[in-house]
Amino acid sequence: MENILAQSAVRPQATAATLAATAQPVIQLRDIEKVYQTKTIETVALNRVNLTIHKGEFVSIMGPSGCGKSTLLSIIGLLDEPTSGVIELDGRPVQSYSDKELAALRNQKIGFVFQSYHLINDLSVLDNVELPLLYRSGVGGRERRERAYAALDKVGLSARTNHFPSQLSGGQRQRVAIARALAGNPEIILADEPTGNLDSVMGEEIMDLLLGLNRQEGTTIVMVTHDEQQAHKTQRLIRFFDGSQVQ
Amino acid sequence: MLLSYLKIAWKVLLRRKFFTFISLFGISFTLMVLLVVVALFDHAVGPHAPETRLDRMLFVNFLHIKYKNGGNQNSPPSYYLLNRYVRQLRTPAKVAIHSLFHATPSYVGNTRLDLDLKYTDDAFWQVLDFTFAEGKPFGEAEVKSAARVAVINRTTARKYFGTDQGVVGRTIEINQTAFRVLGVVEDVPVMRISSYADVWVPLTTSPNDLNRVTLTGEFAAIILAKSPADKAAVQAEFDQMVKRIPLPDPKEMDHLDLHADEILASYSRQLMSPLTNYTSDGLNMLYSILGGLALLFMLLPALNLVNINVSRIMERSSEIGVRKAFGATSRTLIGQFLVENVFLTALGGLLGLLMAYVALQLIGGAQILAYAQFELNWRIFGWALLVTLFFGVLSGGYPAFKMSRLLPVQALKGVRN
Ligand SMILES: Nc1ncnc2c1ncn2[C@@H]1O[C@H](COP(=O)(O)OP(=O)(O)OP(=O)(O)O)[C@@H](O)[C@H]1O
Ligand SMILES: [Mg+2]
């Protein structure tokens, strides 16, 4: 029953993209609810969200501040659990994964770009970017470094590898965060306002980088943005208001 | 993986120099003090030459007389008392009697050289294992005939003769009396008061009347039991014997306490007497006090270590969140923090060992205590390191375990409540 509801809610956009129609769903959210309970108030951050994202899609999410975009992305990225509802990854409910399997999924499948970057201050730029590869078995130190350099090069930061996050500007930190998400070559990139702190030229470059990844490598991307222009470059735009999907 | 853990640990430590310093200093300093104290303790009461057979030795150092009016008298026993009663015991293998040491003037040219002189019997040389650099000790014949012969230590040979070789047969003048050198022994530290001296001579050469009938004097006895297990039998016979010693003044004296104690007990009986009132050797009390002090002394740095570790890991909550978000399992994270803590603690331990070594060298080199030589006690070091590791692992492991179970977002937001 729920399944049918979810399908009908998502189909119109999905059919718009011919690619999506044939591809399999990678991420499926069913009746996702997220309620934050504090002593005094109860905040409904996500209200019965149903969403299907197909392999190779580039989806952008827009909505006013506080409407639940980051919360949604965290849940998709397996960083948070919904209060109720089901998330399926590759057709398998996430609840059925063990702790270890979840860690492996986060490591290999997903690359996350946080809205507030979340770099590790004690580590250099290079070590920060190497992080996803550090937890991947069979990747040696040299390969880690090479891939991290390559990722930093893509975001135009190859000259800053030995700096520490505190020595970088906001925009540079954001690019390090993007490089870190790219370094592991994930199937899915979840980016929370990845260009929020960049000037328009740099923002454009990052946008092109993501579009290129999506087109050439088939990387599935879900991006939160406040930039209408950027959103329109993606295949599909989802608007949120007060925890609910509005279109 | 271990290598990259260590690399991260090292980087984090370098980045947080202040924290690292505080944490390391607490561990190292505590360990150093502990090692120094134990070394001093071992130096005073451990089995070292010439008191190598400590496990078979009992010491008679003090006589306590209780008076009926409540008064106390404390003194070393007399030669008469030791010779007449202690030497007659049947269970010991041997009984050695020696005097306390006294600074005695001697002259090298015109410069005065104060030598610590000790009067001993011949059994003294059999009970104790002196290392003779040359010559030999005096025997029964020399003691009987009050021969003016002496055993001197190496430093005295050097100071008096200018050399420590070939001095046997030469004459050393002490307190205007000439003694022929019979042997040269290695220096004995002053902390070993029973065996220590610069010059040892037969007790019969003493200017005092040895056989004066009196209880108090300036002598002590070392009893060598036949085996370590036999010490109890010796002590039983000793205690029986003490009961038979007649009080010279039964109207005023209530009773006397004289004991054959193991080395530490012989000290603690005196040291703890204000608390025990001579009813026991006070050894358990001494142990409790020392143990309590040690515990108290280690408790503070341990709590400090726990506190620093817990808050350090809490502080790094967001790092844990990030690591989880990029695929670290709980186990990897716990591993990382454990490696970090073990690394830090081990570093502190090694630093403490180094500091203790330097401190002991300084104490030994300063010659505060004559002829002192200190040894690091590896067993104590091992135990102390184990205790620190335990606290390090516990204080790092537990919060790391709790944090690693959080959802990434929870860790990312930080644990404030
Ligand atoms: N840990 C929390 N405890 C309580 N409320 C929370 C918590 N995290 C988020 N919220 C609330 O949930 C709602 C959604 O937050 P979210 O961060 O997802 O918004 P957003 O759409 O990403 O906003 P922005 O565009 O400003 O980043 C907000 O009202 C916020 O106050
Ligand atoms: Mg947000």
Side-chain angles (χ1 to χ4, degrees):
Chain A
M1 181 64 181
E2 278 174 32
N3 200 357
I4 294 162
L5 273 176
Q7 292 292 324
S8 61
V10 170
R11 267 308 167 213
Q13 280 100 12
T15 43
T18 43
L19 174 81
T22 50
Q24 332 150 343
V26 218
I27 301 157
Q28 271 195 297
L29 304 187
R30 296 188 193 169
D31 269 338
I32 293 296
E33 244 185 343
K34 182 70 182 179
V35 182
Y36 289 110
Q37 190 85 50
T38 57
K39 269 181 199 134
T40 44
I41 37 166
E42 183 177 279
T43 313
V44 182
L46 294 176
N47 184 17
R48 299 191 142 248
V49 174
N50 287 285
L51 183 61
T52 303
I53 292 163
H54 295 87
K55 195 169 168 53
E57 257 192 311
F58 195 156
V59 179
S60 48
I61 298 174
M62 293 190 80
S65 179
C67 69
K69 306 181 296 291
S70 295
T71 307
L72 178 75
L73 221 56
S74 292
I75 288 174
I76 297 174
L78 310 178
L79 307 182
D80 202 355
E81 281 169 358
T83 312
S84 68
V86 176
I87 320 151
E88 279 178 16
L89 213 70
D90 286 335
R92 190 177 149 191
V94 164
Q95 279 94 331
S96 72
Y97 286 97
S98 72
D99 194 52
K100 213 174 148 186
E101 286 171 316
L102 280 179
L105 282 177
R106 289 182 195 120
N107 182 250
Q108 286 155 27
K109 229 177 160 61
I110 300 169
F112 210 102
V113 182
F114 294 98
Q115 187 173 7
S116 41
Y117 328 137
H118 284 308
L119 302 176
I120 298 176
N121 287 325
D122 287 326
L123 299 184
S124 70
V125 164
L126 188 68
D127 287 332
N128 263 290
V129 176
E130 277 185 22
L131 199 66
L133 299 167
L134 187 69
Y135 297 116
R136 201 171 287 184
S137 57
V139 183
R142 173 181 294 219
E143 189 188 343
R144 268 208 309 270
R145 220 161 315 128
E146 278 166 7
R147 288 174 69 171
Y149 271 124
L152 280 165
D153 199 38
K154 280 185 193 159
V155 298
L157 269 182
S158 40
R160 291 269 192 275
T161 51
N162 288 319
H163 284 61
F164 283 89
S166 59
Q167 301 166 319
L168 301 179
S169 73
Q172 286 169 330
R173 285 182 219 183
Q174 186 149 44
R175 283 186 279 156
V176 176
I178 294 166
R180 177 175 61 186
L182 301 181
N185 250 340
E187 289 169 36
I188 305 166
I189 287 179
L190 303 172
D192 201 345
E193 300 188 36
T195 59
N197 241 309
L198 304 180
D199 61 67
S200 54
V201 180
M202 198 69 230
E204 202 71 11
E205 273 180 41
I206 294 297
M207 196 54 206
D208 287 343
L209 182 72
L210 293 177
L211 284 167
L213 272 179
N214 173 250
R215 254 177 241 134
Q216 275 133 43
E217 321 230 342
T219 310
T220 310
I221 301 176
V222 181
M223 175 182 77
V224 172
T225 182
H226 283 296
D227 187 323
E228 288 278 353
Q229 255 182 318
Q230 278 183 5
H232 285 294
K233 288 184 184 169
T234 64
Q235 296 157 2
R236 185 171 149 207
L237 171 61
I238 300 171
R239 284 187 197 275
F240 262 76
F241 189 78
D242 249 3
S244 307
Q245 198 177 326
V246 288
Q247 133 195 5
Chain B
M1 203 63 174
L2 188 72
L3 203 71
S4 65
Y5 282 166
L6 283 177
K7 203 175 117 190
I8 291 167
W10 182 243
K11 280 183 180 171
V12 169
L13 296 189
L14 282 187
R15 291 275 295 161
R16 300 172 181 234
K17 288 193 184 75
F18 182 70
F19 154 75
T20 309
F21 173 76
I22 294 287
S23 201
L24 278 185
F25 186 76
I27 298 169
S28 317
F29 186 76
T30 313
L31 214 60
M32 178 199 76
V33 173
L34 200 71
L35 284 172
V36 169
V37 168
V38 169
L40 287 171
F41 197 73
D42 172 73
H43 175 69
V45 299
H48 297 294
E51 292 162 28
T52 27
R53 288 174 284 171
L54 263 188
D55 57 343
R56 286 170 58 193
M57 288 180 185
L58 292 169
F59 296 82
V60 187
N61 287 335
F62 279 97
L63 173 70
H64 166 243
I65 301 171
K66 182 83 187 168
Y67 286 88
K68 289 202 165 125
N69 67 5
N72 290 295
Q73 188 184 4
N74 262 308
S75 163
S78 67
Y79 178 75
Y80 163 78
L81 175 61
L82 297 173
N83 190 45
R84 170 83 170 73
Y85 294 97
V86 179
R87 219 198 273 288
Q88 307 312 321
L89 295 175
R90 277 153 212 249
T91 31
K94 258 196 170 63
V95 175
I97 299 177
H98 62 86
S99 73
L100 311 185
F101 59 85
H102 288 288
T104 315
S106 172
Y107 288 90
V108 184
N110 279 328
T111 38
R112 180 176 164 146
L113 181 65
D114 272 329
L115 296 174
D116 285 330
L117 184 73
K118 180 173 266 178
Y119 295 100
T120 81
D121 60 7
D122 51 298
F124 183 80
W125 302 102
Q126 292 155 21
V127 168
L128 296 165
D129 300 306
F130 278 90
T131 314
F132 276 81
E134 60 181 34
K136 59 177 175 56
F138 44 83
E140 202 182 343
E142 281 101 344
V143 173
K144 258 205 181 119
S145 63
R148 300 217 189 280
V149 289
V151 172
I152 62 177
N153 69 4
R154 200 188 269 278
T155 300
T156 303
R158 270 195 210 126
K159 280 188 185 158
Y160 194 88
F161 298 110
T163 173
D164 55 12
Q165 268 153 28
V167 301
V168 168
R170 293 175 73 174
T171 305
I172 183 169
E173 206 176 293
I174 301 158
N175 214 1
Q176 289 159 343
T177 311
F179 290 87
R180 185 164 51 87
V181 175
L182 268 192
V184 178
V185 293
E186 297 299 341
D187 296 338
V188 173
V190 68
M191 298 283 280
R192 315 307 295 237
I193 54 168
S194 297
S195 38
Y196 164 80
D198 291 315
V199 179
W200 297 262
V201 298
L203 43 71
T204 40
T205 61
S206 161
N208 301 323
D209 176 11
L210 289 178
N211 291 311
R212 202 162 72 88
V213 180
T214 169
L215 294 182
T216 59
E218 51 169 31
F219 281 86
I222 308 171
I223 303 173
L224 187 69
K226 291 188 181 106
S227 71
D230 215 30
K231 274 187 301 190
V234 173
Q235 281 172 319
E237 195 198 355
F238 189 96
D239 292 344
Q240 284 303 314
M241 176 274 292
V242 170
K243 284 186 194 145
R244 292 197 309 272
I245 300 175
L247 292 176
D249 191 356
K251 272 201 199 112
E252 302 211 339
M253 293 180 179
D254 184 61
H255 70 273
L256 58 86
D257 286 307
L258 187 66
H259 298 276
D261 285 322
E262 290 180 8
I263 187 161
L264 189 56
S266 77
Y267 293 136
S268 73
R269 192 181 289 281
Q270 270 316 106
L271 198 66
M272 296 283 110
S273 61
L275 297 175
T276 60
N277 212 7
Y278 297 98
T279 50
S280 79
D281 63 11
L283 199 55
N284 287 336
M285 208 178 273
L286 182 70
Y287 276 140
S288 316
I289 290 174
L290 289 181
L293 284 177
L295 220 64
L296 211 67
F297 179 68
M298 294 199 296
L299 190 70
L300 278 172
L303 285 181
N304 184 41
L305 182 71
V306 169
N307 181 35
I308 284 180
N309 269 332
V310 170
S311 60
R312 179 172 64 110
I313 290 170
M314 292 302 189
E315 219 171 76
R316 287 165 72 190
S317 140
S318 118
E319 174 186 338
I320 291 177
V322 173
R323 288 182 185 277
K324 287 207 85 159
F326 285 96
T329 58
S330 300
R331 207 205 257 185
T332 326
L333 283 171
I334 296 169
Q336 180 198 332
F337 282 94
L338 284 188
V339 167
E340 223 175 279
N341 273 21
V342 168
F343 183 66
L344 186 71
T345 327
L347 214 65
L350 289 181
L351 215 67
L353 184 69
L354 203 76
M355 278 159 66
Y357 179 76
V358 171
L360 288 177
Q361 290 293 314
L362 287 179
I363 299 174
Q367 288 295 327
I368 305 164
L369 301 165
Y371 314 132
Q373 273 191 325
F374 300 104
E375 284 171 22
L376 282 172
N377 189 320
W378 293 101
R379 221 182 43 178
I380 292 291
F381 174 69
W383 276 110
L385 200 62
L386 212 69
V387 170
T388 12
L389 279 181
F390 173 77
F391 278 110
V393 164
L394 202 75
S395 59
Y398 181 67
F401 170 76
K402 285 202 77 167
M403 302 280 291
S404 72
R405 316 229 56 147
L406 293 176
L407 281 168
V409 275
Q410 291 169 321
L412 279 171
K413 283 191 176 133
V415 197
R416 264 175 229 99
N417 39 13

